[in-house]
Amino acid sequence: MHALQSLVLLAFPLLTLIAALRDATSYTIPNWISLALVGIFPLAALALGLPLAVLGGQLGLGAAALVAAMAMFALGWIGGGDAKLFAAAALWLGWPAILTFLAVTGVAGGVLAVGLLALRAPAVRRHLPAGPGWFVRLAEPGENVPYGVAIAVGALAAFPGCSLLARL
């Protein structure tokens, strides 16, 4: 049983990393990643014997995160893939890890934005060697910020404190 528990728990960091890499290289987070996270969560909860009260709390946090992320998307602050990843991560993390997730995601987003502003500065851009297309796009002034990277950093930082790992 321990191997099954570990396997379903491994899905979260693996899919979160894939989402970050896809966002950084293509500015998209495919729907299948968020759907897989949401779909695997009940298996993880069942395999780890998550109590119904805790499960209900996590479902509530996931729903609240989805509403908040949809509002951020509607305001143009984040992309649709970012919104879905944010909600799926909140579902997995639960209370109190959601607090770490929110704080670290916010800080990571700020660091990412400042880093991209520096990378996109004319003084820096003229010294950049030709590189892969995704890197050239990251350095393009006026281009979007792949916020899925910040969401992944926050999610991975909060994961050790999530209620699922506490059950292992």
Side-chain angles (χ1 to χ4, degrees):
M1 185 64 161
H2 188 68
L4 175 63
Q5 292 170 331
S6 298
L7 185 61
V8 293
L9 284 174
L10 183 60
F12 181 78
L14 181 63
L15 289 168
T16 303
L17 284 171
I18 291 169
L21 290 172
R22 287 293 303 266
D23 203 21
T25 59
S26 69
Y27 285 89
T28 59
I29 301 171
N31 287 335
W32 70 262
I33 295 173
S34 297
L35 288 171
L37 283 168
V38 170
I40 295 170
F41 173 75
L43 299 173
L46 183 62
L48 290 154
L50 201 63
L52 285 178
V54 175
L55 178 61
Q58 290 195 217
L59 291 171
L61 280 174
L66 181 60
V67 169
M70 287 171 42
M72 289 186 282
F73 172 71
L75 292 168
W77 297 350
I78 62 174
D82 301 326
K84 290 175 264 189
L85 179 63
F86 183 82
L91 171 68
W92 272 79
L93 296 170
W95 186 264
I98 192 79
L99 299 174
T100 302
F101 172 56
L102 294 173
V104 174
T105 298
V107 171
V111 169
L112 177 64
V114 169
L116 287 175
L117 283 173
L119 179 67
R120 294 169 179 174
V124 173
R125 287 190 74 230
R126 70 172 159 252
H127 297 291
L128 292 176
W134 64 267
F135 183 76
V136 172
R137 187 172 177 195
L138 279 176
E140 189 65 34
E143 188 59 73
N144 291 326
V145 174
Y147 203 73
V149 174
I151 293 168
V153 169
L156 294 173
F159 188 56
C162 80
S163 55
L164 287 170
L165 278 182
R167 306 283 304 168
L168 194 55

